[in-house]
Amino acid sequence: GLNCSDEVFKLNRALYGLKISPKSWNDKFNEIMVINGFTRSQHDYCLYYSDDVYLLLFVDDALITGGKTEKVKNLINILYKNFKVKDMGEANVFLGMQFNRTNDGLIINQNKIIDKLLKEFNMEKCRGVTTPMEVGFKLDESNLIIDVPYRQLVCSLMYIAVMTRPDLSFAVSILSRILDKPTIQTWQAAKRVLRYLSATKEKGLRFDKNEGKLISYSDADWAGDTVSQKSVSGFFASDGSKSYCMVFKETT
C-alpha cells in the first residue's frame, strides 16, 4: 500500500508477506535451536533433536515429543523465551491430522478434512464404493472438460494420500498426470475417489507399540500402459503393526 516516488525505506527486520520473510524466520529459528544444543536432521530439515527430545516444525506449527517430560518442558521454556508461542497442550490435531490414542498405540486419520471436502464438492450424500479406482482403468485424453475444479480436487486428494491414506496413492498418481487437461473420464474418476473416502473416512494409519521387524514388498504391473509400455511400480513397508506406506511411479 506504500505509494512514493523518491524515497526508499530500509527495513530493520523482515515484515510478514515479504518474499524474504519465510527464509528469515527459518534462519532465526534454526539459530535458536542450534544455540540451545539441538541438531537439525540432514534427512528432514524440519526435524530437530537433542538427547531424547524431538521437535518437528511446519512453518510456524510444531510438534514436540520426548522420553522425559522435564526435557520437553525445558524445550518449551526455551521457545517461550525467544518467540511469541502458544502451548496447545497434548496434540489432538496437527495439519489436518487427528490423533486418537489407544492403550496399544496411536491412530491418525483425517475424517474432518474428508467431510469438508465432500461438502465442498457437493458429495455429502454420494453412494460409497469399496475401491478408489475402477479395475483396469486406462487414461483416455479425449473429451476434454473445462470449468471444473479438477486440479483443486486432485491436489486435495494428494494431500490426504501423503498424510494418512496411502491406499489412495495409485489413483492419485494416475489422475495427477493430466492436471492441466482434465477429461470427463478423469473428473468422474476423481469424484469416485471421494465416494471411496465417504465410505472409509474413519480409516487411517495405526501405529502399535511393538518391536516388530521391518517387512517390505514391491511389485509392478509390467507394462500396464499399453500405449507407452511403461509400468507402475510401488512398495509396501510395515514394522509388524498396521502402519504402512506405498509409493507409486511410472518407469520404462
Side-chain angles (χ1 to χ4, degrees):
L2 180 64
N3 182 17
C4 66
S5 57
D6 56 358
E7 292 184 353
V8 176
F9 293 85
K10 178 181 180 297
L11 295 176
N12 293 321
R13 62 179 63 185
L15 296 180
Y16 184 84
L18 297 178
K19 290 183 178 180
I20 193 63
S21 298
K23 182 66 166 59
S24 298
W25 150 248
N26 194 259
D27 287 343
K28 180 64 176 178
F29 186 87
N30 182 68
E31 176 186 341
I32 295 299
M33 295 298 288
V34 172
I35 289 175
N36 286 278
F38 282 80
T39 302
R40 172 184 267 181
S41 170
Q42 295 301 308
H43 306 287
D44 185 347
Y45 275 20
C46 296
L47 175 64
Y48 293 85
Y49 60 92
S50 173
D51 192 22
D52 200 26
V53 181
Y54 302 87
L55 181 146
L56 185 67
L57 180 71
F58 187 88
V59 189
D60 57 355
D61 293 319
L63 276 178
I64 301 173
T65 187
K68 296 183 179 179
T69 303
E70 58 187 39
K71 292 184 178 180
V72 172
K73 289 183 177 180
N74 181 57
L75 173 55
I76 293 175
N77 290 332
I78 291 172
L79 297 177
Y80 266 115
K81 290 178 181 179
N82 293 277
F83 306 103
K84 293 181 180 180
V85 298
K86 186 176 182 180
D87 186 354
M88 305 298 292
E90 188 175 88
N92 294 310
V93 179
F94 185 70
L95 305 181
M97 295 180 291
Q98 296 161 243
F99 300 91
N100 302 294
R101 293 170 181 80
T102 66
N103 292 331
D104 299 322
L106 185 70
I107 300 174
I108 305 176
N109 60 32
Q110 291 176 282
N111 56 350
K112 289 185 178 180
I113 281 187
I114 293 172
D115 283 336
K116 182 179 179 181
L117 204 58
L118 290 169
K119 183 177 181 180
E120 183 177 353
F121 288 91
N122 299 316
M123 298 283 286
E124 296 171 280
K125 298 180 180 180
C126 65
R127 179 171 55 86
V129 292
T130 56
T131 58
M133 180 168 275
E134 295 178 359
V135 177
F137 180 86
K138 302 295 181 183
L139 275 177
D140 180 4
E141 299 188 30
S142 60
N143 297 320
L144 295 180
I145 185 173
I146 59 175
D147 296 330
V148 293
Y150 179 78
R151 181 189 294 267
Q152 179 183 347
L153 174 54
V154 173
C155 289
S156 297
L157 295 173
M158 189 182 300
Y159 180 73
I160 295 174
V162 169
M163 302 300 282
T164 62
R165 296 295 298 268
D167 51 330
L168 305 183
S169 299
F170 178 79
V172 171
S173 68
I174 296 295
L175 297 176
S176 63
R177 295 177 187 177
I178 53 172
L179 285 178
D180 58 334
K181 294 181 180 179
T183 66
I184 295 176
Q185 178 208 35
T186 55
W187 175 239
Q188 292 175 343
K191 291 196 292 184
R192 179 188 172 90
V193 180
L194 280 179
R195 293 170 58 196
Y196 172 70
L197 285 175
S198 176
T200 60
K201 66 177 70 174
E202 298 299 329
K203 291 185 178 296
L205 294 179
R206 176 174 174 174
F207 298 90
D208 291 334
K209 297 177 181 178
N210 66 75
E211 298 179 358
K213 296 181 180 180
L214 184 66
I215 303 172
S216 61
Y217 304 90
S218 64
D219 200 1
D221 64 356
W222 305 110
D225 190 327
T226 55
V227 177
S228 66
Q229 296 298 304
K230 291 183 177 181
S231 302
V232 174
S233 62
F235 73 86
F236 170 96
S238 172
D239 63 354
S241 68
K242 299 288 185 179
S243 56
Y244 58 91
C245 61
M246 288 180 286
V247 174
F248 294 89
K249 62 180 181 179
E250 192 175 43
T251 57
T252 54

